[in-house]
Amino acid sequence: MSQSPYTDLERPPLSQRALRRALVVPNGLWTDVRVVAETGSTNSDLAKAARDGAPEGLVLVAERQTTGRGRLGRLWTSPPRAGLTLSVLLRPVGVDITRFGWLPLLAGVALTEAVRRIAEVDAVLKWPNDLLVDERKCAGILAEAIPPPAGPAVVIGVGLNTTLREHELPRPDATSLALAGAVCADRAPILHAFLRSLAAWYERWRDAGGDPDASGLREAYAFHCATLGREVLVHLPDGSQVRGRADGVDIDGRIVVESQAFAAADVVHLR
Ligand code: BTN
């Protein structure tokens, strides 16, 4: 089958020019927006760019990823232009690196706001930052830290399923905005809204020295996170499990279950 960008009218290509015109503005966070037809992983590309000294605010969007990566060593796959696959490079000046754990949660808040506003679906977060619609995964976020001397910096990668059809879903518990009945599943307005919301939250959080309470981030996260207050099963990297009520997120963004705080884990919502 031809790989022309016009073969699927429901999946038009993104315009780098239009994105730059809208998002790269004087005194704004976004310094450049690049759209590439294909790459292995936008996170890997921006991690390399960060090591080569790229400035904060670089955005890389791929129409297709061949080796997209997910959390906990998983893969992220999506047909060309059936979703948004992008990464952003941040260098939070004036924020202690112990607060950097909030960045993926911050990105989750920005993505939820954008999806709710443009697609008009009931999107919520599952800790730490899976975006769920009707309890199915519609987006994921992968944040990777770049240590000094090239950093401190953080690459935040987002994969959002916009127009995937049932037979294209990567797993049975996944969904896409189109399948979930979105009023709008167009990538350009969702990307605009996401990057604007991300910039606003990031500047607020950074200007508060990374304080999740002074910036209002912890409150916003709790508002959008469907995990809090629920009975959950926490799968830990060592293979063990903890079951109990998710009581909140602590000052470092860790989930608190049965008085224990977890940073790297997989959470399952129970009834
Ligand atoms: C997850 O839910 O496991 C996180 C998925 C993150 C996928 C995105 S797609 C763009 C960016 N580049 C990658 O290789 N991964 C992230």
Side-chain angles (χ1 to χ4, degrees):
M1 200 172 94
S2 158
Q3 284 300 302
S4 155
Y6 302 102
T7 48
D8 192 334
L9 294 176
E10 282 178 23
R11 296 175 178 172
L14 287 165
S15 160
Q16 176 175 275
R17 198 155 152 259
L19 287 165
R20 278 187 180 157
R21 204 182 314 124
L23 293 159
V24 182
V25 294
N27 302 317
L29 174 64
W30 308 119
T31 48
D32 195 10
V33 181
R34 297 179 193 159
V35 180
V36 296
E38 182 177 307
T39 191
S41 155
T42 55
N43 263 37
S44 300
D45 292 348
L46 281 202
K48 182 178 182 305
R51 286 193 290 272
D52 293 343
E56 172 165 83
L58 177 57
V59 180
L60 179 65
V61 189
E63 296 288 39
R64 174 166 185 255
Q65 281 189 139
T66 51
T67 52
R69 296 183 287 109
R71 281 181 70 238
L72 308 170
R74 297 182 186 124
L75 295 175
W76 183 266
T77 56
S78 177
R81 301 179 313 281
L84 280 168
T85 47
L86 74 135
S87 301
V88 303
L89 174 61
L90 300 173
R91 296 183 180 275
V93 171
V95 178
D96 193 273
I97 55 164
T98 56
R99 301 276 202 217
F100 282 19
W102 274 98
L103 280 170
L105 280 65
L106 185 156
V109 168
L111 187 64
T112 309
E113 287 182 350
V115 164
R116 292 183 74 93
R117 192 155 68 77
I118 307 295
E120 297 186 32
V121 291
D122 283 332
V124 294
L125 290 169
K126 178 165 81 73
W127 183 91
N129 44 32
D130 281 354
L131 185 131
L132 305 184
V133 184
D134 302 330
E135 280 292 325
R136 286 161 174 262
K137 180 161 171 168
C138 195
I141 294 173
L142 176 66
E144 296 179 289
I146 315 292
V154 178
V155 173
I156 299 180
V158 177
L160 170 69
N161 297 337
T162 52
T163 56
L164 276 87
R165 299 160 187 131
E166 200 78 49
H167 69 276
E168 294 172 321
L169 295 173
R171 38 192 252 197
D173 64 346
T175 191
S176 68
L177 293 178
L179 288 170
V183 163
C184 169
D186 296 347
R187 297 182 305 155
I190 295 170
L191 182 56
H192 283 181
F194 168 60
L195 289 174
R196 288 216 181 94
S197 177
L198 182 59
W201 272 112
Y202 174 69
E203 285 167 357
R204 217 166 136 178
W205 171 82
R206 184 197 56 200
D207 294 348
D211 186 321
D213 294 320
S215 62
L217 179 58
R218 181 152 49 166
E219 190 182 356
Y221 182 80
F223 179 77
H224 289 299
C225 182
T227 307
L228 305 185
R230 282 190 63 163
E231 185 79 5
V232 296
L233 191 59
V234 183
H235 293 272
L236 298 168
D238 68 0
S240 63
Q241 300 176 353
V242 175
R243 184 182 175 139
R245 187 174 180 274
D247 287 324
V249 279
D250 73 5
I251 192 75
D252 296 320
R254 297 177 301 178
I255 187 104
V256 179
V257 178
E258 298 292 307
S259 306
Q260 296 181 75
F262 303 101
D266 217 11
V267 163
V268 175
H269 289 169
L270 304 174
R271 290 195 170 272

